[in-house]
């Protein structure tokens, strides 16, 4: 067995492990993103990635751990895009910042329907551990929304409201809408979907329901 760090075929042990991990992640994205988490198996992902089961278990204790790694990477990518978007639009009004940040978050899912399925469907209730991870990432999103919108309130751009409600409403709507869009044939263009989602985010975070007619049943005096 190769010693740690020893070169073999021009690669160190760490480099070979990194390559195997990337192949396993690619296989997991393909299989889980097309057939589902329940249908994925370690032998199947090893065969698709050309990684032996022995090497699989050197990298991951089990199937769940590979899925967690894949979901972590997908979500980290989306959150990095959000941070970059918010940085690029610093000083702009929330009417500009919100659509840009939402579309930055969704970019990986709109580019690849496998990613959309993994992030919005297969992650739901896959296991108690994975569900806890999903809810943790959701809380981070709620915090980002609350922070940005509270700052916009202080600037006088929008009225204060229950930002957790608004953030969860957007997450739920986006989950259903993007996955439905990914499955439909024929479907609208990506540009049309992005425009609709940006509009939805603006409605949830910036519209002023105070001016709704009394017959709507909405009471602006009842908020939190």
């Amino acid at each position: 067995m190769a010693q740690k760090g020893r070169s073999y075929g021009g690669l160190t042990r760490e480099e070979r492990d990194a390559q195997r991990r990337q192949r396993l992640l690619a296989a997991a994205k393909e299989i889980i993103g097309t057939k589902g988490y329940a249908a994925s198996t370690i032998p199947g992902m090893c065969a698709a990635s050309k990684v032996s089961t022995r090497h699989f278990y050197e990298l991951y204790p089990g199937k769940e751990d590979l899925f967690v790694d894949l979901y972590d990477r997908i979500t980290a990518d989306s959150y990095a895009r959000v941070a970059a978007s918010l940085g690029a639009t610093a000083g702009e009004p929330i009417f500009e910042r919100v659509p840009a940040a939402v579309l930055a978050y969704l970019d990986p899912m709109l580019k690849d329907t496998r990613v959309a399925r993994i992030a919005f469907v297969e992650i739901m209730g896959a296991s108690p551990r994975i569900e806890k991870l999903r809810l943790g990432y959701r809380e981070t999103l709620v915090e980002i929304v609350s922070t940005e919108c509270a700052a916009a309130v202080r600037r006088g751009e929008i009225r204060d409201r229950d930002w957790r409600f608004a953030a969860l409403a957007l997450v739920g709507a986006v989950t259903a809408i993007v996955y439905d869009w990914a499955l439909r044939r024929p479907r609208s263009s990506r540009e049309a979907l992005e425009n609709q989602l940006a509009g939805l985010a603006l409605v949830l975070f910036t519209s002023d329901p105070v001016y709704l007619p009394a017959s709507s049943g909405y009471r602006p005096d009842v908020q939190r």
Side-chain angles (χ1 to χ4, degrees), residues 126-193:
S127 73
R129 174 189 174 192
I130 293 173
E131 181 65 5
K132 182 178 180 180
L133 179 67
R134 182 185 73 85
L135 293 176
Y137 275 123
R138 193 183 71 179
E139 285 304 306
T140 299
L141 186 59
V142 171
E143 290 174 11
I144 292 172
V145 168
S146 299
T147 298
E148 289 298 318
C149 291
V153 171
R154 292 193 295 272
R155 294 193 299 267
E157 296 174 358
I158 55 176
R159 290 177 182 264
D160 196 15
R161 66 195 67 183
D162 185 342
W163 300 119
R164 181 178 185 81
F165 178 90
L168 292 177
L170 182 64
V171 169
V174 164
T175 297
I177 292 168
V178 172
Y179 189 58
D180 178 75
W181 174 84
L183 292 179
R184 291 181 69 84
R185 294 291 187 279
R187 64 187 182 205
S188 62
S189 67
R190 173 176 170 171
E191 292 73 19
L193 178 66

Side-chain angles (χ1 to χ4, degrees), residues 29 73-85 98-117 119-120 141 174 178 181-182 187 190-191 193-195 197-198:
K29 182 168 76 171
R73 290 166 186 256
I74 288 171
T75 308
D77 180 33
S78 285
Y79 276 63
R81 291 169 184 271
V82 170
S85 175
V98 162
V102 168
L103 297 182
Y105 175 80
L106 290 173
D107 186 60
M109 295 78 167
L110 297 180
K111 282 181 177 176
D112 191 334
T113 57
R114 297 170 301 175
V115 175
R117 177 169 178 172
F120 293 150
L141 186 59
V174 164
V178 172
W181 174 84
R187 64 187 182 205
R190 173 176 170 171
E191 292 73 19
L193 178 66
E194 287 178 336
N195 186 59
L197 293 174

Side-chain angles (χ1 to χ4, degrees), residues 4 7 12 17 21 25-27 35 76 88 97 112 117 169 175 185 202 209 212 215 224:
K4 181 179 180 181
S7 178
T12 65
D17 282 347
R21 190 183 300 276
L25 287 165
K35 299 179 181 179
R97 289 167 65 78
D112 191 334
R117 177 169 178 172
T175 297
R185 294 291 187 279
L202 284 174
L212 287 174
S215 60
R224 297 178 186 272

